[in-house]
Amino acid sequence: MCVGVPAKVIEKYEYSALVDVMGSQITVGIIFVPEVEVGDYVIVHAGQAMSVIDEENAKLSIEEWRRLADAGNSE
Amino acid sequence: MQEILNEFSSPQLSRKLLEKVKESAEKFIEKHGRRPAIMEVCGSHTHALAETGIKKVLKDYVNLISGPGCPVCVTEQKSIDAMIKLADGPDRIICTFGDMVRVPGTEQSLLEAKTAGKDIRIVYSPPDAVKIAEENPDKEVIFLGIGFETTIPILAVALQEALQKNIKNFSMWMTTKLVEPILRTLLDTNATKIDGFLLPGHVSIVLGKNDYQYLAEEYKIPGVIAGFEPVEMLSSIYKLINQFLDGRAEIENDYPAVVSDEGNPVAKQLIAKYFEPVDEAWRGIGIIPKSGMDIRGEFAEFNAKNRFQITVGEPRKTKCRCGEIIRGMVAPEDCPLFGKACTPLKPIGPCMVSAEGTCAAHYQYMRED
Ligand code: SF4
């Protein structure tokens, strides 16, 4: 039930947006993410976009995980 | 962006992180003579950890304990029986999330009630139930509102829509649950030894990192907010073990691309506008004060508990141990019915029904044949 899937916003309307989830298009509510823009990725739960995925932070996380993975081999 | 998201499940990165987790777990075991005990609070983590094989490959290194985060699993049997009873009456349409329909009630499940001719519909989103009410003005449409903080704001959206459209034949039967009271209860009662929490990524979208400070400050227990892809979960487990090794107790946000410090302000406002904290009964635990949310008095007309008088008797006793499983006290394999009388095809308790249930996850991905 808590499964949230990343979806790409294709069109934005007043209270909803058309999103693409792994190839299929659905309409989701955007009341919780009024700042969302076309092209953004959102986490969808039970028909509502709950959060916009922040690209900058996603990149930083990956860099951190890569560093973690490669670190300490000299320990 | 898609390339970045792909990295979250990169097999190469996962393998390296897995080795890191094992290395640090070995240090912990050397120091303490036992495996570090980490509770994953969220049912989606339980499912993802089992499905990706992480639980199995780490079983000699980390004691990953499933927690109370599967919504149907924590719902007490009496509430389930009451929700099934709601379907009685010729003018009713019951709308529910898919997970609920197969949960066995004392007499029958919602699916069996549906087969017997009751109008029971699975909806993907709570506002869909408001639409059904609009299209069926001569019926009473009742939505069964279960879930944690991720789902509660969406229930508020449904209620707001019904209010704005002045729909009179819509109501909700709420048995929602909150994360903080149950974590406090688990820690206060010492239900099981927990060194740290893998905190629920989606609940945290609503709550925000700051709402978990009590764990670190009052209980001196670390927590790491985790995403659901293999790399994300392994990184968070690694960070937790490192905190144990350093003797730190901090709340870390390892899912910063979607979780903020403050949470989602619109969701928090909507919850506060329409709902208020109420005492809730949890399976196998009993009532925990202010551990759920129900509709505020001023919107009582939408509260199905006011609109329909439902009484149910004491539930039939079974040997099901879901009540202990949701507290991390026993594993599914400790239940005598697991995989024998109780299977996903013929479940006895909710932990075997829901994809987020611990018994279903163990049955599907972790059986030693
Ligand atoms: S195996 Fe079945 S009966 Fe046993 S605890 Fe799990 S759900 Fe309950």
Side-chain angles (χ1 to χ4, degrees), chain B residues 104-123:
Chain B
T106 293
E107 279 162 30
Q108 59 179 358
S109 68
L110 283 171
L111 189 63
E112 285 159 342
K114 187 177 166 75
T115 312
K118 303 284 185 216
D119 197 344
I120 291 156
R121 305 186 190 184
I122 294 174
V123 296

Side-chain angles (χ1 to χ4, degrees), chain B residues 114-365:
Chain B
K114 187 177 166 75
T115 312
K118 303 284 185 216
D119 197 344
I120 291 156
R121 305 186 190 184
I122 294 174
V123 296
Y124 169 58
S125 187
D128 295 346
V130 180
K131 210 161 165 204
I132 293 173
E134 221 176 344
E135 292 161 358
N136 295 275
D138 52 336
K139 297 274 172 115
E140 283 288 343
V141 175
I142 309 153
F143 185 80
L144 306 180
I146 62 165
F148 286 89
E149 282 94 335
T150 330
T151 309
I152 298 172
I154 306 176
L155 300 174
V157 171
L159 200 149
Q160 177 156 281
E161 244 179 76
L163 197 68
Q164 283 166 352
K165 292 182 174 167
N166 197 21
I167 294 177
K168 302 282 183 207
N169 60 325
F170 173 78
S171 60
M172 288 197 287
W173 185 284
M174 305 258 296
T175 52
T176 58
K177 304 280 191 285
L178 302 173
V179 170
E180 179 172 339
I182 185 65
L183 294 190
R184 283 184 181 275
T185 302
L186 291 182
L187 293 170
D188 289 340
T189 55
N190 258 323
T192 183
K193 168 79 193 152
I194 300 165
D195 294 306
F197 288 105
L198 199 68
L199 294 170
H202 297 136
V203 162
S204 305
I205 290 175
V206 173
L207 291 182
K209 176 188 156 195
N210 295 347
D211 279 17
Y212 296 106
Q213 283 309 328
Y214 64 94
L215 289 173
E217 283 163 16
E218 293 176 45
Y219 293 94
K220 310 287 178 250
I221 296 253
V224 176
I225 299 169
F228 298 86
E229 295 298 335
V231 172
E232 298 176 304
M233 295 187 290
L234 286 166
S235 153
S236 300
I237 293 170
Y238 176 76
K239 286 182 175 184
L240 273 172
I241 301 176
N242 265 6
Q243 286 208 41
F244 308 156
L245 291 173
D246 296 349
R248 285 180 290 130
E250 292 161 15
I251 304 302
E252 286 180 82
N253 181 3
D254 202 21
Y255 201 28
V258 302
V259 173
S260 66
D261 286 355
E262 312 292 338
N264 186 304
V266 182
K268 284 186 169 176
Q269 274 161 21
L270 278 183
I271 294 177
K273 182 168 178 191
Y274 293 109
F275 304 135
E276 61 191 358
V278 290
D279 300 349
E280 265 290 328
W282 296 62
R283 179 176 292 263
I285 302 175
I287 289 178
I288 302 178
K290 305 270 182 269
S291 64
M293 285 285 188
D294 207 346
I295 298 171
R296 280 188 174 283
E298 58 257 55
F299 308 108
E301 61 196 293
F302 293 103
N303 193 335
K305 288 178 194 153
N306 292 3
R307 208 179 282 201
F308 308 98
Q309 297 310 316
I310 300 289
T311 44
V312 287
E314 279 309 307
R316 182 165 44 94
K317 290 240 177 314
T318 68
K319 290 206 176 73
C320 173
R321 301 188 73 178
C322 283
E324 291 154 283
I325 285 178
I326 58 165
R327 283 178 282 169
M329 296 163 71
V330 299
E333 290 75 12
D334 297 320
C335 170
L337 308 180
F338 177 74
K340 299 186 183 92
C342 181
T343 63
L345 276 179
K346 225 177 152 296
I348 294 197
C351 303
M352 189 59 97
V353 177
S354 172
E356 295 182 17
T358 310
C359 298
H362 278 237
Y363 186 87
Q364 212 174 344
Y365 303 111

Side-chain angles (χ1 to χ4, degrees), chain B residues 57-86:
Chain B
V57 291
L58 282 182
K59 85 179 182 333
D60 294 330
Y61 298 87
V62 184
N63 181 13
L64 284 167
I65 307 163
S66 301
C70 154
V72 288
C73 306
V74 296
T75 305
E76 64 144 14
Q77 195 59 43
K78 231 175 165 167
S79 307
I80 287 174
D81 286 346
M83 288 191 267
I84 295 170
K85 196 111 187 249
L86 266 178

Side-chain angles (χ1 to χ4, degrees), chain A residues 1-8 26-28 31-35 39-62 64-73 75, chain B residues 1-2 4-5 7-8 13 16-17 20 23 27 42 44 71 97 99 124-127 146-148 150-151 153-154 157 160 202-203 205-206 228 231-232 235 238-239 254-259 264 266-267 270 356:
Chain A
M1 165 166 314
C2 280
V3 183
V5 268
K8 187 178 182 178
I26 53 167
T27 302
V28 299
I31 185 169
F32 302 118
V33 290
E35 74 279 18
D40 281 348
Y41 280 76
V42 290
I43 298 280
V44 174
H45 171 66
Q48 298 290 327
M50 301 303 291
S51 181
V52 179
I53 304 180
D54 181 85
E55 189 160 346
E56 226 13 70
N57 270 317
K59 271 192 205 148
L60 288 175
S61 288
I62 303 264
E64 192 201 347
W65 295 330
R66 284 217 191 96
R67 265 200 315 277
L68 265 182
D70 294 326
N73 295 337
E75 265 177 50
Chain B
M1 184 70 157
Q2 190 58 52
I4 302 176
L5 294 177
E7 278 290 293
F8 285 24
L13 197 49
K16 284 186 183 172
L17 285 172
K20 288 280 156 194
E23 269 171 38
K27 284 187 202 154
C42 169
S44 298
F97 290 124
D99 263 4
Y124 169 58
S125 187
I146 62 165
F148 286 89
T150 330
T151 309
I154 306 176
V157 171
Q160 177 156 281
H202 297 136
V203 162
I205 290 175
V206 173
F228 298 86
V231 172
E232 298 176 304
S235 153
Y238 176 76
K239 286 182 175 184
D254 202 21
Y255 201 28
V258 302
V259 173
N264 186 304
V266 182
L270 278 183
E356 295 182 17

